[in-house]
Amino acid sequence: MKYLSTRGGMEPARFTEILLGGLAPDGGLVVPERYPCVDRATLARWRSLPYAALAYEILRLYATDLPGPQLRALCERTYTADVFGSDEVTPLVALEPGLALLKLSNGPTLAFKDVAMQLLGALFEHVLREQGSELNILGATSGDTGSAAEYAMRGRAGIQVFMLSPHGRMSAFQTAQMYSLADANVFNIAVDGVFDECQDLVKAISNDLLFKRRHSIGTVNSINWARVAAQIVYYFKGFFAATRSDDERVSFAVPSGNFGNVLAGHIARRMGLPISRLVVATNENDVLDEFIRTGRYRPRSAAETHHTSSPSMDISKASNFERFVFDLAARDPARVRELWSALERDGQFDISGSAEAERLPACGFASGRSTHADRIATLRAIHQRHGVLVDPHTADGLRVARDWREPGVPMICLETAQPAKFAATIREAIGIEPPRPAGYEGIESLPQRFERMPVDVERLKRYIADRTDALPSSVDCRWRADA
Ligand SMILES: *Cc1c(COP(=O)(O)O)cnc(C)c1O
């Protein structure tokens, strides 16, 4: 399997060469040259596989330059009951006939990002060891992604994590989750500023190519291809758990932000998984819902982006969206370049009336938008009717799923986080404190370790330089640059 850029300007590369990044040198996103086809006989063979074995079967189609036995061992070490709470890894829980939750948030940071990120940690460690190189991951977080990255990379050989977070602006639970890590390769940097300022610091360093190269700086953001690939697995798992035969179909409802999760569903469908609908659920930040309904893609400015009670879906532009548009454009990079230059020029593009609009219905997408009131009402109704507590993001998914159910087609809503992470909204909806999973009681009182820092690029560079080995400036970094 070779990887290409959605904009056509990249030499075909192998999986291990694009593993760290996602952004192609021409500004496009890295995509596989084709989607492997999974026929009915293969589906039948996969149906009874445990999660780790299923992950191996799917990932080996994409990671063709990793030796099979090594990839299998990495999957088996990652997808364990120890890390994900059960042998099922992503158990399916029925709410009522035809409606179920696929629980993706039983990993160490209680959000679905762990499913892919834990594997990414194992892959990075393995490939770095093979190459004899090291990697310093630099990132900014307002909560979920940063902690998932830290828990995936903690204690791994050849990897250090420098994670910026806005001092005093995360929930006590999120703060404790990150700052209580004692691993020597994790550096929490509490910036005296807001999240955007943390992100600006990361961008400033990413733009300093010399510094970046000398200190082997990389990122783990949502456009990382391996994360998308690892997410394909649980769509298959959910299908098998909800059906008895491969002649049936299912639909998925996906609480969406950067379009990473639902993109994996789109790819599973393209591979041949019998998916009827892929329901994209947004919150008040409804860029994706607007696109699917109207064909108009209009990313919002930071000022137009709402801060909502499902904060992990508060995005202004959907960073993985270009990969889907590439497929919609029949994989024509010239057309993607055309659309993205319109986007740059006009701040939006519109595919209505074009060939892309004609292809959209065949992709099976449906969409909807959920507001704070919807989320609260849904949380409450699900709790009353089924005795099940869901988090605000999953509530958005369930709210939108309701409008798109079909008789005879099970609707599977992806549970993207646990309610314990969003206690204030749970209290508002049903007046109780969400239960903490075992092992998370009292994490707020553990000792915390972090470095406080002003918004100052030079200070940050010094901090990183003091803690990393500088390569001679002539060494060419094997890792691709990433934004
Ligand atoms: C990241 C996240 C999402 C959004 O997923 P995307 O892949 O960005 O669409 C939804 N819910 C939760 C809890 C998340 O952490």
Side-chain angles (χ1 to χ4, degrees):
M1 178 69 76
K2 289 283 172 56
Y3 289 85
L4 317 166
S5 165
T6 50
R7 301 193 196 170
M10 179 178 122
E11 283 300 310
R14 290 171 309 175
F15 180 80
T16 55
E17 294 171 310
I18 57 109
L19 174 62
L20 179 77
L23 194 68
D26 62 351
L29 299 187
V30 166
V31 284
E33 60 187 347
R34 63 189 166 79
Y35 299 129
C37 178
V38 177
D39 58 21
R40 288 297 154 104
T42 310
L43 268 188
R45 197 160 51 74
W46 286 359
R47 178 169 279 277
S48 55
L49 292 180
Y51 196 96
L54 180 63
Y56 165 67
E57 292 293 340
I58 293 172
L59 288 162
R60 78 192 184 98
L61 303 173
Y62 291 100
T64 48
D65 61 327
L66 275 178
Q70 293 176 0
L71 181 61
R72 184 190 285 276
L74 294 175
C75 290
E76 279 171 0
R77 248 180 284 142
T78 301
Y79 296 116
T80 64
D82 229 25
V83 180
F84 289 97
S86 73
D87 288 326
E88 288 292 304
V89 177
T90 61
L92 188 78
V93 174
L95 291 179
E96 64 189 40
L99 181 65
L101 280 178
L102 186 62
K103 300 196 144 222
L104 304 181
S105 54
N106 291 321
T109 73
L110 310 182
F112 88 95
K113 293 188 174 68
D114 288 328
V115 181
M117 205 76 93
Q118 287 287 320
L119 183 73
L120 204 65
L123 283 167
F124 277 15
E125 186 178 48
H126 173 78
V127 170
L128 288 165
R129 189 184 293 132
E130 298 276 297
Q131 296 179 342
S133 45
E134 297 192 346
L135 175 67
N136 295 301
I137 294 169
L138 174 65
T141 189
S142 54
D144 281 353
T145 312
S147 57
E150 289 188 355
Y151 279 76
M153 305 298 165
R154 64 187 292 198
R156 299 224 185 247
I159 302 175
Q160 300 198 102
V161 182
F162 295 89
M163 191 60 65
L164 311 187
S165 52
H167 183 251
R169 287 172 196 267
M170 295 186 295
S171 75
F173 184 88
Q174 286 175 318
T175 308
Q177 240 185 348
M178 289 179 53
Y179 293 3
S180 67
L181 283 180
D183 303 80
N185 70 331
V186 172
F187 300 95
N188 283 303
I189 301 168
V191 176
D192 287 315
V194 294
F195 171 65
D196 286 336
E197 289 170 298
C198 298
Q199 222 166 13
D200 289 344
L201 285 170
V202 172
K203 273 189 209 144
I205 291 192
S206 293
N207 290 336
D208 184 342
L209 294 183
L210 187 62
F211 183 87
K212 209 175 142 180
R213 186 171 298 172
R214 288 198 71 197
H215 296 280
S216 312
I217 306 271
T219 55
V220 276
N221 52 28
S222 60
I223 58 169
N224 182 287
W225 165 256
R227 283 179 65 186
V228 176
Q231 288 169 182
I232 297 170
V233 178
Y234 50 70
Y235 284 88
F236 282 84
K237 186 74 188 167
F239 169 77
F240 293 135
T243 58
R244 294 232 182 85
S245 112
D246 302 324
D247 299 326
E248 295 175 51
R249 291 181 312 155
V250 300
S251 290
F252 287 95
V254 188
S256 293
N258 273 317
F259 208 77
N261 203 354
V262 75
L263 177 75
H266 160 74
I267 295 170
R269 195 170 181 274
R270 281 281 161 107
M271 290 170 74
L273 189 66
I275 295 176
S276 175
R277 287 178 175 157
L278 281 168
V279 181
V280 177
T282 73
N283 63 17
E284 290 88 335
N285 298 292
D286 56 358
V287 186
L288 296 170
D289 175 44
E290 182 179 65
F291 173 77
I292 289 162
R293 280 185 301 103
T294 68
R296 190 157 75 125
Y297 181 57
R298 190 169 63 89
R300 313 294 199 258
S301 66
E304 281 178 295
T305 305
H306 305 275
H307 289 276
T308 75
S309 46
S310 46
S312 301
M313 291 153 61
D314 292 349
I315 56 100
S316 46
K317 72 176 194 13
S319 54
N320 267 295
F321 184 62
E322 185 171 335
R323 288 190 168 116
F324 173 62
V325 173
F326 181 63
D327 286 345
L328 213 47
R331 311 202 114 213
D332 173 10
R335 178 62 175 151
V336 173
R337 285 198 302 272
E338 192 183 325
L339 289 169
W340 255 261
S341 50
L343 187 61
E344 221 157 85
R345 192 181 58 232
D346 311 329
Q348 56 177 289
F349 64 70
D350 191 342
I351 61 156
S352 51
S354 70
E356 286 76 33
E358 277 167 37
R359 291 186 200 107
L360 185 56
C363 294
F365 280 100
S367 71
R369 164 187 202 270
S370 164
T371 63
H372 180 73
D374 292 326
R375 182 170 315 133
I376 296 288
T378 306
L379 257 163
R380 206 176 276 154
I382 295 289
H383 187 249
Q384 267 169 9
R385 220 174 290 149
H386 308 291
V388 171
L389 200 55
V390 294
D391 94 291
H393 307 77
T394 310
D396 287 333
L398 286 164
R399 167 65 194 85
V400 176
R402 204 173 78 190
D403 298 334
W404 294 103
R405 289 173 67 180
E406 297 165 280
V409 182
M411 174 66 78
I412 301 172
C413 181
L414 302 190
E415 184 199 58
T416 55
Q418 291 212 17
K421 287 191 97 165
F422 302 96
T425 307
I426 305 300
R427 280 195 298 269
E428 180 184 340
I430 45 180
I432 64 160
E433 199 60 38
R436 287 278 174 98
Y440 293 83
E441 309 91 348
I443 61 165
E444 290 92 336
S445 51
L446 294 174
Q448 299 193 351
R449 216 176 113 256
F450 61 93
E451 175 84 13
R452 208 162 148 185
M453 205 179 284
V455 183
D456 180 343
V457 184
E458 293 312 315
R459 269 278 295 273
L460 179 59
K461 280 186 183 165
R462 252 194 334 269
Y463 182 84
I464 294 172
D466 287 347
R467 287 158 186 80
T468 56
D469 298 326
L471 298 170
S473 47
S474 60
V475 170
D476 193 22
C477 182
R478 297 196 56 168
W479 300 105
R480 258 165 232 287
D482 204 349

